[in-house]
Amino acid sequence: MGTVVQDDMFTRDVIADPYGYYGRLRDEDPVHWNDTYALWVITRHEDVTWLTRHHELFSSAVFKNDPRGAYPDIDESDLGLYEYVRNYQGDQFIQHDRPVHLDMRRIVHGYFTPKAMESWRPFVVNAVKELLDAAEEKGSMDVMRDLATPLPVLVIAQMMGVPAEDRPYVRELAEKLLYIGRGEYDRMPILTDGMKGMLEYVSPLVDERIVRPGDDFISVLASGEKKGVFTRHQVLVNTSLLLLAGHETTINLICNGTLAFLQHPSQWALYKEDPAGRAKWATEECLRYDAPVKSIQRLASQDIEVRDKVMRKDDRIRWFISSANRDPNVFAEPNKFDITRQPNPHVAFGNGVHHCLGATLARVEGQEVFKALAERFPNLQIESEELHYQPSITFRSLKSLPVIWQ
Amino acid sequence: MARKLRVWVDHNVCVGNAMCETIAPKVFRLNENRQSEAVNPEGDTVEKILEAAENCPVSAIFVEDAETGEQLFP
């Protein structure tokens, strides 16, 4: 067990550069017991792929079945709020195992097929154009605030069929829901405030779609309630999941991808030669190189041995995309940002039966943003080299990304 | 007579989401790596096979008319 790697995954260094820390674990102790947070850290591509494809061994019902408390620690007076969070999160369809998970996924799966999501491309193109028009008029932009954050909210609000005037409120709620992946000691009141606000906001929309279904996503979930697959609480919570899952992840793809381009001028130059033609593989490389999600948790469904380590039933396990996507056994020169890399078997969207439902939508949004940036702002540059990330082990989130183009 | 199909799965792309196996279990089966294999292109109707292909979240399934070579999906 001779590893000397320290176990605090929230230090400034690890948050700033997860690739160094988790990369070292991948090389030295790929199935690592983190004593501080009492969980297994899985870092190799081969193991992450295997683990995510063996859903019967690794449960996704983390919030319902993990008897331990929140981590990092929360204020003791907020323990009641954490129970609320567990109950809320536990009703997300992604927090279920088969056979229930399959019944739930089948309700929503058809809405997100690659073909169905392609039909959203014109809407995305137009939304990107409007946001960049506004930025151009202003003469400068924070990619985070002015492009990456509003874009997914526009798309999701349209999918949910919420009125345009409600979008700022939906965005405000989404900001609060993002605290689920954060480490602040006092995060629970903000988070539960967002959750309660979501339930209140979505509830009348569901009432309406039950009676008058449309072609929106809430109607799809409501059809699941009619079929007896979802309870009302699950319909509400899964609407909220769409907002959260489709929001933070897309923000990170846009910001981290833009940053990768601007930190690698030769790749940016290569991309600009043919933005439309290169968008597909360049976006895949952005997803690999600086993935929006760093890690995901499971619980061991039984005692299981992996690489000579024995995991016990109900042990917490976190698998790290950030290290798997830089695994030298799979990717040549893994730390090089190479927009022509093909094939690119990154695990940014996971694998197996829980593979990200919104993957195609994220790809469409990423492709259209990078295309538009290259075509409209070929001289794009980072305004400041000083970058700050949210203290999360789930998300790889910049706090802001100011850019200039004059 | 039923149309004969050629069906295959690109293993550079397949992520083992297994929706194809759910939709057409006689046609698609996960192998030991938990990636899908088209084990029997005659195991279900053309419609079901195309439904499975369309529901693949990463578009890893390809369907052709075995006699004419006409590409039916994607």
Side-chain angles (χ1 to χ4, degrees), chain A residues 268-284:
Chain A
W268 181 236
L270 180 66
Y271 183 67
K272 282 186 292 187
E273 286 173 9
D274 182 13
R278 294 203 187 276
K280 178 185 165 172
W281 289 105
T283 302
E284 296 307 305

Side-chain angles (χ1 to χ4, degrees), chain A residues 53 56 106 109 114 351-352, chain B residues 15-17 33-35 55-56:
Chain A
R53 288 182 189 171
E56 73 283 11
R106 286 199 82 170
H109 189 91
N351 245 273
Chain B
V15 293
N17 189 244
N33 288 328
R34 295 285 174 99
Q35 287 186 305
N55 276 280
C56 174

Side-chain angles (χ1 to χ4, degrees), chain A residues 98 102-103 105-114 353 357, chain B residues 7 16-30 36-37 39-58 61 63 73:
Chain A
R98 285 192 166 197
L102 182 57
D103 292 340
R105 174 124 183 178
R106 286 199 82 170
I107 299 290
V108 293
H109 189 91
Y111 188 85
F112 287 94
T113 62
V353 303
L357 187 63
Chain B
V7 183
N17 189 244
M19 200 49 87
C20 55
E21 194 193 45
T22 299
I23 293 169
K26 287 180 183 154
V27 181
F28 299 97
R29 196 171 302 150
L30 296 194
S36 177
E37 307 261 8
V39 290
N40 176 17
E42 287 163 22
D44 214 327
T45 61
V46 175
E47 290 70 33
K48 271 285 167 198
I49 292 173
L50 290 175
E51 185 191 336
E54 191 174 317
N55 276 280
C56 174
V58 291
I61 299 172
V63 185
F73 199 91

Side-chain angles (χ1 to χ4, degrees), chain A residues 42-319:
Chain A
I42 311 295
T43 41
R44 287 206 179 151
H45 188 281
E46 184 188 354
D47 294 345
V48 166
T49 307
W50 174 82
L51 183 154
T52 47
R53 288 182 189 171
H54 285 77
H55 52 89
E56 73 283 11
L57 301 178
F58 302 97
S59 170
S60 287
V62 172
F63 277 96
K64 283 237 165 90
N65 294 337
D66 189 346
R68 288 142 296 204
Y71 66 94
D73 285 341
I74 52 172
D75 195 300
E76 220 165 273
S77 62
D78 289 343
L79 289 177
L81 293 180
Y82 184 63
E83 278 308 303
Y84 181 87
V85 170
R86 283 180 62 170
N87 185 43
Y88 186 95
Q89 293 291 102
D91 259 354
Q92 295 176 340
F93 85 92
I94 57 171
Q95 286 275 329
H96 287 76
D97 295 318
R98 285 192 166 197
V100 177
H101 173 260
L102 182 57
D103 292 340
M104 291 178 164
R105 174 124 183 178
R106 286 199 82 170
I107 299 290
V108 293
H109 189 91
Y111 188 85
F112 287 94
T113 62
K115 196 173 150 192
M117 287 300 105
E118 267 309 314
S119 73
W120 281 85
R121 195 180 288 273
F123 181 88
V124 173
V125 170
N126 194 49
V128 172
K129 183 184 176 296
E130 283 177 13
L131 293 168
L132 292 184
D133 284 348
E136 195 164 19
E137 203 164 297
K138 224 169 73 182
S140 71
M141 157 167 70
D142 174 356
V143 176
M144 163 69 71
R145 185 194 60 211
D146 302 325
L147 176 62
T149 306
L151 175 64
V153 175
L154 286 171
V155 176
I156 295 162
Q158 188 75 12
M159 285 186 168
M160 286 168 52
V162 309
E165 64 268 23
D166 290 356
R167 282 180 202 149
Y169 182 61
V170 169
R171 193 162 138 190
E172 201 181 296
L173 292 173
E175 294 289 331
K176 291 179 180 172
L177 292 175
L178 295 183
Y179 277 77
I180 189 71
R182 303 267 282 269
E184 288 93 335
Y185 191 64
D186 56 356
R187 62 195 182 277
M188 286 299 140
I190 304 167
L191 177 60
T192 49
D193 206 38
M195 289 174 166
K196 287 171 186 163
M198 263 312 280
L199 296 191
E200 267 168 43
Y201 177 73
V202 179
S203 202
L205 296 177
V206 175
D207 287 339
E208 187 199 317
R209 310 295 156 84
I210 289 271
V211 185
R212 274 183 300 279
D215 56 4
D216 59 281
F217 185 70
I218 297 179
S219 295
V220 171
L221 288 169
S223 78
E225 181 181 319
K226 283 188 190 162
K227 288 178 187 157
V229 175
F230 291 124
T231 63
R232 175 58 59 92
H233 187 253
Q234 285 169 337
V235 170
L236 299 174
V237 162
N238 281 300
T239 305
S240 161
L241 171 65
L242 174 77
L243 181 61
L244 178 70
H247 186 205
E248 180 71 352
T249 49
T250 314
I251 292 174
N252 297 347
L253 168 59
I254 293 169
C255 287
N256 301 355
T258 303
L259 178 64
F261 276 118
L262 301 186
Q263 284 181 328
H264 298 85
S266 68
Q267 294 294 301
W268 181 236
L270 180 66
Y271 183 67
K272 282 186 292 187
E273 286 173 9
D274 182 13
R278 294 203 187 276
K280 178 185 165 172
W281 289 105
T283 302
E284 296 307 305
E285 180 65 348
C286 292
L287 286 160
R288 183 197 73 86
Y289 182 78
D290 202 9
V293 176
K294 286 196 284 194
S295 73
I296 306 265
Q297 193 182 313
R298 297 279 194 266
L299 291 180
S301 300
Q302 58 184 68
D303 291 0
I304 183 165
E305 196 176 314
V306 185
R307 291 192 191 279
D308 296 334
K309 304 281 180 81
V310 180
M311 300 174 180
R312 298 292 176 198
K313 184 177 185 304
D314 291 334
D315 275 359
R316 282 170 165 170
I317 295 148
R318 280 198 93 93
W319 45 278

